[in-house]
Amino acid sequence: ADCCVREDPSQHTSIVWLLKIGFGLVPSITLLAAIVALLVFPKAARSRKAQEDVRAGVEAHRNGETVEDPLFPGRKLGPPPQSVEHAGLLLHFWPKELFAVIRQDRHTATEQDSVSQDEVAPDYGALAHSCFV
């Protein structure tokens, strides 16, 4: 039992400073930044009327109406675009992958048809079955 008793229970100085910074300084800086953001935020936007205007604007926006931005008077927000069947399909690909398919399609088409690259329109449907290297 004597081998398991630790003589000096204090932490190393670097650990103590790490804990002081982690539990004292970092939250203090974060709180200060939050207070500054709250003070800079427009007072008119903090009112109950502004909250009701925002909710009414969101509801009207959902219904496809053009609404005035309650936080920035005079700024009109148009209705969201209508969704289509394949909206956002290309968002699953990196731009590098998209450009690789376009280059591959143009290269293949110019080899087969002996036409210039400017005359060839890329086949974007090839993305559904292409393998990117």
Side-chain angles (χ1 to χ4, degrees), residues 79-123:
Q82 293 296 322
S83 179
V84 294
E85 182 181 355
H86 298 293
L89 178 67
L90 297 180
L91 293 176
H92 298 283
F93 299 101
W94 290 97
K96 178 182 175 181
E97 296 171 330
L98 296 172
F99 290 130
V101 169
I102 292 170
R103 279 193 303 273
Q104 180 182 4
D105 288 346
R106 286 188 177 180
H107 180 69
T108 304
T110 54
E111 284 179 354
Q112 293 173 354
D113 303 331
S114 67
V115 294
S116 70
Q117 286 189 354
D118 296 332
E119 298 172 7
V120 178
D123 178 19

Side-chain angles (χ1 to χ4, degrees), residues 16-27:
V16 171
W17 276 108
L18 178 70
L19 293 172
K20 285 180 180 180
I21 291 171
F23 288 111
L25 187 63
V26 172

Side-chain angles (χ1 to χ4, degrees), residues 3-130:
C3 67
C4 297
V5 175
R6 188 169 172 191
E7 297 279 332
D8 184 15
S10 65
Q11 290 288 339
H12 192 272
T13 308
S14 61
I15 300 297
V16 171
W17 276 108
L18 178 70
L19 293 172
K20 285 180 180 180
I21 291 171
F23 288 111
L25 187 63
V26 172
S28 300
I29 292 172
T30 306
L31 181 63
L32 181 64
I35 290 171
V36 168
L38 185 61
L39 292 175
V40 172
F41 199 74
K43 287 185 179 182
R46 293 187 242 164
S47 68
R48 172 112 17 228
K49 182 183 179 323
Q51 290 177 353
E52 292 170 359
D53 290 345
V54 167
R55 287 187 181 144
V58 168
E59 190 60 36
H61 207 240
R62 279 189 191 143
N63 295 333
E65 300 173 24
T66 299
V67 296
E68 184 176 353
D69 189 342
L71 301 182
F72 298 98
R75 180 177 166 196
K76 299 286 185 188
L77 301 173
Q82 293 296 322
S83 179
V84 294
E85 182 181 355
H86 298 293
L89 178 67
L90 297 180
L91 293 176
H92 298 283
F93 299 101
W94 290 97
K96 178 182 175 181
E97 296 171 330
L98 296 172
F99 290 130
V101 169
I102 292 170
R103 279 193 303 273
Q104 180 182 4
D105 288 346
R106 286 188 177 180
H107 180 69
T108 304
T110 54
E111 284 179 354
Q112 293 173 354
D113 303 331
S114 67
V115 294
S116 70
Q117 286 189 354
D118 296 332
E119 298 172 7
V120 178
D123 178 19
Y124 296 108
L127 288 172
H129 54 78
S130 292

